[in-house]
């Protein structure tokens, strides 16, 4: 966790990694809302009549996860490994699983990544609901697996709104807050 007293000098790659990480968080919030709308459209709960909304949501899942996982700034290498590898496993499964019945599985790994990110960010921000993200995403994945659509939609939508509020807070702060002290990173 960064100290507000320490201002790390950032090079261009540091700045790019922070901007990419924050963009991934922002995109993930949007993704959860788009995904909840895609599910609602698929089950006929709302009528958007967009055949590509689900494909868009899955592409956004992949992009946002890769952006944030590849640029995660966490001092402890074990924690960093767990969070990033859940994203990479989810991305591989997203590419390889062709069954709609098992679509919840890769999304579950991607949501595990962002659950870790939400917990990491909850140490720095007092965003309402941020600590509930792992619970909400876990419930939504379970509901997707057993096809209880309405609860899944509600949990995904709420998580998306919370992530968008987090993204707004992240974009307000200086870039060096995300990096912290480079000397503290375990390699």
């Amino acid at each position: 966790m960064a100290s507000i007293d320490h201002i790390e000098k950032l090079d261009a790659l540091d700045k790019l990694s922070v901007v990419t990480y924050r963009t991934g968080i922002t995109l993930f919030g949007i993704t959860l809302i788009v995904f909840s709308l895609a599910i609602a459209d698929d089950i006929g709960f709302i009528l958007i009549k967009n055949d590509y909304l689900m494909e868009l949501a899955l592409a956004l899942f992949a992009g946002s996860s890769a952006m944030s996982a590849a640029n995660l700034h966490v001092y402890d290498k074990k924690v960093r490994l767990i969070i990033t590898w859940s994203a990479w496993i989810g991305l591989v499964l997203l590419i390889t699983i062709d069954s709609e019945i098992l679509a919840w599985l890769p999304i579950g790994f991607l949501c595990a990544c962002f659950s870790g990110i939400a917990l990491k960010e909850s140490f720095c921000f007092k965003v309402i609901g941020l600590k509930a993200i792992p619970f909400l995403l876990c419930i939504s994945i379970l509901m997707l697996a057993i096809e209880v659509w309405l609860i899944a939609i509600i949990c995904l939508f709420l998580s998306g709104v919370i992530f968008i509020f987090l993204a707004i807070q992240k974009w307000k702060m200086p870039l060096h807050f995300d990096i912290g002290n480079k000397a503290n990173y375990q390699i």
Side-chain angles (χ1 to χ4, degrees):
M1 194 161 54
S3 168
I4 57 172
D5 299 329
H6 179 79
I7 299 176
E8 188 70 45
K9 186 170 175 8
L10 304 181
D11 60 23
L13 286 177
D14 292 331
K15 292 176 184 175
L16 179 64
S17 75
V18 172
V19 168
T20 305
Y21 172 75
R22 290 180 182 184
T23 303
I25 288 175
T26 306
L27 199 55
F28 188 71
I30 294 166
T31 300
L32 291 173
I33 292 171
V34 170
F35 187 55
S36 65
L37 293 174
I39 294 169
D41 186 40
D42 282 354
I43 65 170
F45 190 68
I46 59 173
L47 297 175
I48 299 175
K49 303 257 185 193
N50 188 333
D51 296 332
Y52 301 105
L53 197 57
M54 186 60 75
E55 287 80 11
L56 173 64
L58 294 176
L60 290 173
F61 264 120
S64 63
S65 299
M67 293 170 86
S68 289
N71 296 288
L72 183 64
H73 304 103
V74 176
Y75 293 148
D76 189 295
K77 66 180 173 182
K78 292 175 191 131
V79 173
R80 190 171 56 239
L81 183 80
I82 291 167
I83 294 171
T84 57
W85 272 90
S86 63
W88 302 132
I89 292 168
L91 288 169
V92 168
L93 290 174
L94 191 64
I95 293 167
T96 57
I97 291 180
D98 196 24
S99 170
E100 279 188 28
I101 296 170
L102 293 176
W104 61 269
L105 185 61
I107 294 167
F109 277 98
L110 300 176
C111 286
C113 168
F114 278 97
S115 292
I117 289 172
L119 286 177
K120 169 203 177 273
E121 297 297 343
S122 71
F123 290 110
C124 304
F125 295 102
K126 302 271 190 247
V127 174
I128 294 173
L130 192 56
K131 289 186 180 188
I133 287 289
F135 176 75
L136 288 170
L137 292 178
C138 182
I139 293 298
S140 67
I141 298 305
L142 178 62
M143 294 300 110
L144 289 174
I146 62 174
E147 299 182 358
V148 179
W149 306 118
L150 187 57
I151 295 173
I153 291 167
I154 292 168
C155 289
L156 289 165
F157 192 86
L158 284 174
S159 297
V161 170
I162 293 167
F163 261 101
I164 288 172
F165 282 130
L166 170 63
I168 291 167
Q169 295 302 315
K170 294 288 289 176
W171 286 109
K172 289 179 181 179
M173 65 185 224
L175 296 179
H176 69 86
F177 278 18
D178 281 40
I179 300 280
N181 186 343
K182 290 182 187 179
N184 291 341
Y185 282 91
Q186 294 176 357
I187 297 178

